[in-house]
Amino acid sequence: MDSEDRIDIRNLVRAHGARQLVIARMAAPADWQGELRRALVSERATGHFWNRSSDVRLFLESFAIFFTATMMFLI
């Protein structure tokens, strides 16, 4: 490769994006909106207090770690 050669990366990026879009469309279900709605409803329905994705659980775990570190520092 010569130092005078220039690579136009814009066309390469556009082609890659077009390929990714085709792959995503082929992999998506025919009724993707209905599938998305069902997935959201099922996730909301199983919203228990102690789920891994619960904000309350994350807060309590963070507070427990902070409290333990504070007690260790004070002792």
Side-chain angles (χ1 to χ4, degrees):
M1 183 173 189
D2 295 333
S3 62
E4 298 297 321
D5 290 341
R6 294 188 182 260
I7 299 173
D8 186 18
I9 198 166
R10 282 181 250 149
N11 290 333
L12 296 174
V13 170
R14 286 185 188 125
H16 177 71
R19 284 192 301 273
Q20 293 296 98
L21 181 61
V22 169
I23 291 170
R25 285 182 178 159
M26 290 173 64
D31 183 25
W32 64 270
Q33 290 176 334
E35 186 74 24
L36 179 61
R37 285 189 186 106
R38 284 190 291 278
L40 289 173
V41 166
S42 69
E43 183 165 333
R44 287 180 187 147
T46 60
H48 193 262
F49 182 75
W50 293 111
N51 277 354
R52 288 298 283 167
S53 61
S54 172
D55 290 339
V56 175
R57 180 178 176 155
L58 178 64
F59 171 76
L60 291 176
E61 287 176 351
S62 300
F63 181 77
I65 292 169
F66 173 76
F67 182 77
T68 305
T70 303
M71 290 300 116
M72 293 295 288
F73 176 75
L74 291 176
I75 291 177

